[in-house]
Amino acid sequence: MARSTVALARVSRLAFITATVRLARWRLRHTWRLLSGVGLGIVVAVIIVSAVPLFTHVATTAGLRRVFDAPPGSNGITINVTTENTQSQDIQQIGNVIDGAVQTHLGHTLMAGRQFSLQFPELPVVSALHGAVTEAAMQVVGYDPDQFVSHATVLAGRLPRADAAQTEIALTTATADALGATLGSTVVLAGPEARPPLSGVGHVPLTVVGIVALNGDDIFFHRLFFDPQPREHFSSSLIVRGIAVNDALERFLQSPSATGTLSARTPPQFFWYYALDPARLDADSLGDVVAQANALQVELPNTLLDLQGAPRGGVSDDAFLRLADYQARITTLQVPLTFVLVLIVALVLFFVSVMAEIVVDRQADALAVLRSRGVSRPQIFGALVAQSLVLGVVALAVGPWLALGAVVVLARLALAPAHQSALTVLTADPLRTAYAPLGVALAVVVAALGAMIIAINRAVAADVLAMRRESARTTRTPLWQRLNLDVVAAVIAVTGYSLYILVLNRVNAAVQFQFGFLGLIAPLFALFAGALLCFRVYPLGLRAAAWVAARGRGPVPMLALAQMSRAPRQSMRTTFLLAFSTAFLIFTLLFVASETQHLRDVASFSAGADFSGALAFANASPTTLAGGMAPYQQLPGVTSVALGYVATLPPGAGVATQQLLAVDADHYAQAATWDAHNSTEPLAGLMARLVSQRADAKRTGVIPAILNGALWDALHLTPGTTFLLSVPGYDGDRLRFLAVARVAQIQGIYDSPQFLSGGVLVDYQSYAAVFTTAAATAAAQPNFLWLRSASDAASLTSVRAALTTSTLKLARLTDRRSLTQALITDPLQVALSGILSVGALAAIVLALVGVLTASWLNARGRLTNFAVLRALGTAPRQIAGVLVWEQGITYGVALALGVGLGIVLAALLLPALAFANARTQSGDLIGAANLPAIEMLAPAGTLALALGALVAICGGALVLMTAVVARPSVSATLRLNED
């Protein structure tokens, strides 16, 4: 008996499964088109949630490798050791210990080989100088000749050798000219214990055997400048460098001649360089690399102290500080990326829920008939859920692979060619890469299936009678409306944003930068509250409009609004699906345009001109401003040039840093870039005011000055008051300045309320006249140049070549156009903009598919109603008018609401999203408040094109629908239905 019961149960289960599968297949033949739309939405959701982490991984890896592009010298580990034991075996032992420690911690990230350099300290040159200077100090830098030879070009003579009787050096042309040295000359350096000049005791004689040209940007030299550099303020005192061979310098250290030359006060330094291999780094391994580098910095100095002589060593943290800063940028960027991903997925899931409801509603009549004719509810439920599960499985099977392909295509389109090598992190192991974000994709599929199951459960619960009763009564108030979730979300949004404004903006810049993501939370709740509020108000608006239309004369709007107010759910879901997608599209267009302009403003603010930089020593002492500018004005493509003197002033008056810009007021306005937000008065007017007071400055000794807001407020100045500042090279009391005008910011001086940076802008001629008549120790000679050029390719090529390779080259050159391009093509910037753009495009396409499908099916489902109206004498034009009114209201409200929400969303989110890309021209992170504020920019052409395309698509669909319903066949439509 028991066996037969079990057998019957098995047969019953098998029959149930067979019937459910058969029912699912039968319903699939009727609904496969709509189910394909639902499946498309789920697949798109899986693609997006899989593509975002993959594309972020590629972009962050590209940015990580870009960290090593510039500046030179920061591409690896630099270990500096000083020791009193300078014998070869001691140096060898130290090198072995360093090798072991570096390989243990970071060996898997390094390029093959290492670079070793022995460097003498800066020692005074005591041999007779016949060049342009009267005082100089030289640092001798040693290299391995086999490594060095590929980084230098011999112009005259030869490279130094280790086996020469006397230590040999090579000099650059500029250094040789400055010292007056020629081939065969002897340059003598004096140590701290040296006897009277040229006595031979405590001196280092160096024979010049070669004149060479070096690639100044070559990372091999680790940011060492071999052309003469001024010791301070571009005076006649120079720092120069000579190039020698490591073995020759080691031999000198072991000779009696080193006694009195290099002592404990001026010891030689030993450098070991290890280059990181960018191809071995990716964003996933960045945290481990930084942690291992920190461990190396702690352990290696202690290990060296255990050796004989207790050598002192340290690991340069320059490269790893950049890596840590970049890691912070990645962490910061994850917040807006996650926010954007949530918005995109929410829109896609909204589409899936709308399409699921359409599928179920489309089958409602048939399902109710099946329930009335004996088909069990579990069978219907199981059949529809089985269809949904198949869609989910298909999405999980194909979505990750489509995401991988989409990321490869997007990376090739969005990333600069130099950054596309990062694609290897995807292509090395495609299977593992494609399914790496499987957990997130699975969660999205489960959420989508949940929305479908809820809709299915509601539909299968009704039979014919229940369906008829449901259609004749008002829909029950939704749960969120009964709980007043829109009010709760609004309160959270207002409270959070108020706290963000009142609290976060009062802390220092570092804290503000780290917690700037809080500005995204309040807009998220505001968006949620606004959406729910719209859902609450929309039916009330339809009822009010229907009441007004009922008192009008025309029957068409009355019929349309009466139908919409009677069943608002259909029009509401299509309206808000299109509205939210349109809002996201508008927000994306506004963000991309505004952020691009913001990056241009940042570059312009940082550079201060098309090109700016410090004068090299050879050009740093012009006799007149006109004489100094003349060579640059003659360059092809140059339109304006201005010289000036830039100096850093001691902090004071509550200001952390102060900078003085003494500019040629006659030409600065034509050469410099000046943001209109810096001041209400144009730069030309400000310069004219300085020029007009030039004579008074020379007569009174008071220098007219324009100050930025931070310094003006710190000194509590008013126009016409005088104040004192300490300036470099002035031994007396502080110089007197006259407050002429206050500007919000001065180009190149970063400031925020939490980190005050004072800026003083004066006329150079006024400053030089007052400075030279005062107790000054050195002349304030021009040391900085601002240059404006034409924008054509030939002009830019000419100017860039002159400013980087010729005798007119500038130190610390800033190229505004190159900086702008670097900021815009920054992989992290591309990641955010690219994901936003792709997400917005996918959302709007899916929204259009959903809206047009829903509208089309709604019109097709009401053919019977339209046929009845036609039979009662309603004209085809009036029937078409009813549909035009309904769909016109739906599309019009959706587009208007979408534009409004998009603008509000952009206004709230732009400042919060901009902090993720805040950085200086060198790539260092700074607080977002230190940069020009981002402003919302509306690209009129792009917005008009996007909205025009949406209107055209909706209008075209409306024309097709009216053509179908305007002339229904009464005999074909008025027939018995499935009941």
Side-chain angles (χ1 to χ4, degrees):
M1 184 68 179
R3 291 183 179 181
S4 62
T5 303
V6 172
L8 288 174
R10 288 178 179 175
V11 171
S12 177
R13 284 196 296 269
L14 181 60
F16 173 81
I17 295 174
T18 303
T20 301
V21 172
R22 185 179 301 169
L23 179 60
R25 292 174 57 188
W26 176 66
R27 293 309 306 164
L28 182 62
R29 289 197 296 268
H30 296 275
T31 60
W32 67 270
R33 293 180 180 85
L34 292 177
L35 282 174
S36 299
V38 177
L40 175 64
I42 300 176
V43 170
V44 170
V46 171
I47 290 175
I48 290 176
V49 298
S50 300
V52 168
L54 292 179
F55 184 64
T56 303
H57 185 46
V58 173
T60 51
T61 300
L64 173 61
R65 296 175 181 180
R66 185 176 181 239
V67 170
F68 299 100
D69 293 344
S74 60
N75 72 322
I77 308 165
T78 301
I79 299 174
N80 178 15
V81 175
T82 57
T83 177
E84 296 179 0
N85 297 333
T86 58
Q87 299 298 316
S88 298
Q89 60 271 22
D90 297 323
I91 304 304
Q92 183 66 34
Q93 182 185 19
I94 294 172
N96 292 337
V97 170
I98 291 174
D99 273 341
V102 171
Q103 293 298 328
T104 298
H105 288 282
L106 296 166
H108 62 287
T109 65
L110 300 177
M111 291 184 176
R114 70 175 185 182
Q115 182 184 348
F116 172 69
S117 175
L118 195 166
Q119 300 178 15
F120 283 5
E122 297 174 6
L123 299 175
V125 179
V126 297
S127 59
L129 298 175
H130 306 288
V133 295
T134 58
E135 183 180 352
M138 175 178 285
Q139 180 186 22
V140 184
V141 180
Y143 290 107
D144 182 339
D146 294 335
Q147 295 177 339
F148 178 80
V149 66
S150 60
H151 301 275
T153 301
V154 178
L155 302 179
R158 57 176 175 81
L159 293 178
R161 292 199 297 257
D163 56 355
Q166 193 172 16
T167 306
E168 298 178 342
I169 60 171
L171 304 175
T172 63
T173 301
T175 299
D177 293 342
L179 298 178
T182 60
L183 292 178
S185 299
T186 300
V187 178
V188 181
L189 310 182
E193 308 297 333
R195 302 290 172 82
L198 304 180
S199 66
V201 179
H203 289 83
V204 184
L206 305 168
T207 303
V208 180
V209 297
I211 306 297
V212 297
L214 308 177
N215 181 2
D217 295 330
D218 197 332
I219 207 168
F220 178 82
F221 300 106
H222 304 283
R223 284 189 289 180
L224 291 178
F225 296 98
F226 288 87
D227 284 342
Q229 300 294 312
R231 185 178 292 273
E232 59 179 16
H233 311 309
F234 292 97
S235 63
S236 59
S237 178
L238 285 184
I239 297 174
V240 297
R241 287 189 173 91
I243 302 162
V245 177
N246 286 322
D247 292 343
L249 297 183
E250 286 186 21
R251 189 173 66 250
F252 176 82
L253 290 177
Q254 297 162 16
S255 67
S257 303
T259 305
T261 302
L262 303 174
S263 64
R265 288 186 295 168
T266 56
Q269 294 181 310
F270 303 86
F271 290 86
W272 284 263
Y273 302 104
Y274 298 83
L276 291 170
D277 187 355
R280 297 187 179 185
L281 298 176
D282 59 48
D284 290 341
S285 64
L286 178 58
D288 178 65
V289 172
V290 172
Q292 291 293 332
N294 291 334
L296 179 66
Q297 289 177 309
V298 173
E299 295 175 10
L300 183 59
N302 296 328
T303 303
L304 291 176
L305 289 175
D306 295 335
L307 300 179
Q308 183 178 0
R312 298 173 300 280
V315 181
S316 172
D317 58 0
D318 182 69
F320 298 110
L321 281 178
R322 292 185 174 276
L323 291 179
D325 286 344
Y326 186 74
Q327 187 181 29
R329 285 195 71 198
I330 293 177
T331 303
T332 306
L333 185 68
Q334 293 301 325
V335 177
L337 284 178
T338 303
F339 177 80
V340 170
L341 178 60
V342 169
L343 287 182
I344 297 172
V345 172
L347 287 174
V348 175
L349 291 180
F350 188 29
F351 166 80
V352 171
S353 66
V354 170
M355 292 297 295
E357 289 187 358
I358 292 174
V359 173
V360 173
D361 290 348
R362 186 65 173 169
Q363 303 179 80
D365 294 341
L367 296 179
V369 172
L370 290 173
R371 286 281 288 116
S372 301
R373 293 178 179 177
V375 180
S376 67
R377 178 180 174 181
Q379 284 180 320
I380 298 175
F381 183 82
L384 299 184
V385 170
Q387 294 176 348
S388 304
L389 291 176
V390 171
L391 295 179
V393 171
V394 171
L396 288 176
V398 304
W401 289 105
L402 293 176
L404 181 61
V407 168
V408 172
V409 173
L410 179 60
R412 295 194 182 280
L413 293 175
L415 294 177
H419 303 152
Q420 293 182 9
S421 61
L423 281 171
T424 55
V425 300
L426 299 182
T427 57
D429 188 357
L431 179 61
R432 179 182 177 185
T433 302
Y435 286 97
L438 183 60
V440 182
L442 182 60
V444 170
V445 170
V446 170
L449 294 180
M452 297 182 66
I453 291 173
I454 291 173
I456 293 170
N457 184 63
R458 185 178 63 250
V460 300
D463 55 15
V464 173
L465 181 59
M467 185 181 65
R468 296 288 186 262
R469 291 173 178 173
E470 183 67 22
S471 64
R473 67 187 180 188
T474 304
T475 304
R476 186 183 179 187
T477 303
L479 177 64
W480 66 266
Q481 195 168 343
R482 298 197 301 272
L483 297 177
N484 294 316
L485 292 183
D486 51 347
V487 178
V488 174
V491 171
I492 295 176
V494 173
T495 304
Y497 202 74
S498 300
L499 291 175
Y500 173 75
I501 296 297
L502 296 177
V503 178
L504 191 61
N505 285 345
R506 295 179 181 273
V507 300
N508 61 56
V511 175
Q512 185 185 35
F513 180 81
Q514 293 297 327
F515 291 92
F517 67 89
L518 294 176
L520 297 172
I521 298 178
L524 181 62
F525 279 96
L527 182 64
F528 181 63
L532 295 183
L533 181 63
C534 290
F535 284 135
R536 181 190 290 271
V537 173
Y538 187 78
L540 300 178
L542 288 179
R543 294 193 191 102
W547 183 83
V548 173
R551 281 150 182 77
R553 295 184 178 181
V556 173
M558 180 191 68
L559 289 173
L561 289 169
Q563 171 65 25
M564 295 179 68
S565 62
R566 178 177 175 273
R569 185 177 178 182
Q570 171 66 33
S571 62
M572 187 166 61
R573 65 189 182 188
T574 55
T575 297
F576 289 113
L577 177 59
L578 182 57
F580 294 152
S581 300
T582 302
F584 192 65
L585 176 64
I586 297 298
F587 163 71
T588 299
L589 295 177
L590 293 176
F591 173 80
V592 172
S594 302
E595 180 68 358
T596 301
Q597 183 58 45
H598 179 233
L599 296 177
R600 296 182 189 278
D601 294 340
V602 169
S604 177
F605 184 86
S606 179
D610 288 348
F611 296 90
S612 63
L615 296 174
F617 174 77
N619 305 307
S621 303
T623 56
T624 63
L625 288 176
M629 292 188 298
Y632 295 95
Q633 291 172 330
Q634 296 171 4
L635 292 175
V638 171
T639 59
S640 184
V641 177
L643 278 178
Y645 171 76
V646 176
T648 300
L649 309 182
V655 179
T657 61
Q658 299 183 88
Q659 193 167 7
L660 172 71
L661 278 71
V663 302
D664 179 8
D666 294 322
H667 300 90
Y668 183 71
Q670 293 76 35
T673 57
W674 188 260
D675 194 328
H677 299 94
N678 290 349
S679 62
T680 56
E681 185 176 357
L683 182 59
L686 294 172
M687 293 297 101
R689 294 172 66 178
L690 294 182
V691 172
S692 66
Q693 300 184 51
R694 188 177 288 166
D696 291 340
K698 296 177 181 179
R699 177 176 53 82
T700 62
V702 181
I703 306 169
I706 298 168
L707 290 81
N708 71 340
L711 187 56
W712 182 283
D713 296 339
L715 296 176
H716 307 288
L717 297 176
T718 57
T721 58
T722 60
F723 59 96
L724 302 176
L725 288 177
S726 298
V727 298
Y730 181 58
D731 287 343
D733 199 1
R734 296 176 293 177
L735 285 180
R736 296 175 62 200
F737 293 84
L738 174 68
V740 172
R742 178 189 186 277
V743 297
Q745 292 177 311
I746 296 176
Q747 301 287 90
I749 299 177
Y750 300 96
D751 178 58
S752 72
Q754 296 79 20
F755 187 82
L756 298 180
S757 299
V760 184
L761 186 63
V762 302
D763 172 47
Y764 173 78
Q765 295 188 35
S766 301
Y767 181 82
V770 175
F771 188 85
T772 53
T773 57
T777 59
Q781 297 176 344
N783 63 7
F784 209 86
L785 180 136
W786 297 268
L787 183 148
R788 178 168 292 185
S789 71
S791 58
D792 60 281
S795 298
L796 292 177
T797 301
S798 169
V799 173
R800 285 168 178 160
L803 299 183
T804 56
T805 59
S806 72
T807 57
L808 300 179
K809 66 181 179 182
L810 301 179
R812 304 187 302 276
L813 175 65
T814 302
D815 182 341
R816 179 183 62 83
R817 296 180 181 89
S818 295
L819 179 56
T820 300
Q821 185 66 19
L823 290 174
I824 293 176
T825 59
D826 176 31
L828 297 190
Q829 167 66 27
V830 171
L832 185 57
S833 300
I835 291 171
L836 264 175
S837 302
V838 172
L841 181 61
I844 197 65
V845 170
L846 289 179
L848 288 173
V849 171
V851 169
L852 298 179
T853 301
S855 300
W856 177 267
L857 293 177
N858 180 44
R860 294 282 298 177
R862 294 169 57 196
L863 284 178
T864 301
N865 294 336
F866 292 138
V868 170
L869 291 174
R870 183 78 177 86
L872 294 175
T874 306
R877 179 177 56 83
Q878 291 176 315
I879 295 176
V882 171
L883 189 62
V884 169
W885 268 89
E886 291 181 8
Q887 300 304 318
I889 291 173
T890 298
Y891 297 152
V893 171
L895 294 179
L897 184 60
V899 172
L901 286 177
I903 294 174
V904 172
L905 195 62
L908 292 175
L909 291 181
L910 279 177
L913 288 178
F915 78 93
N917 299 301
R919 65 180 197 159
T920 62
Q921 62 188 38
S922 62
D924 299 326
L925 285 172
I926 60 176
N930 286 9
L931 294 171
I934 187 171
E935 294 187 353
M936 188 165 62
L937 176 66
T942 306
L943 287 175
L945 182 62
L947 292 177
L950 292 178
V951 171
I953 292 173
C954 294
L958 185 56
V959 170
L960 292 177
M961 283 186 284
T962 55
V964 172
V965 302
R967 299 181 182 275
S969 173
V970 177
S971 60
T973 306
L974 295 178
R975 65 180 186 272
L976 290 176
N977 58 20
E978 293 181 57
D979 291 359

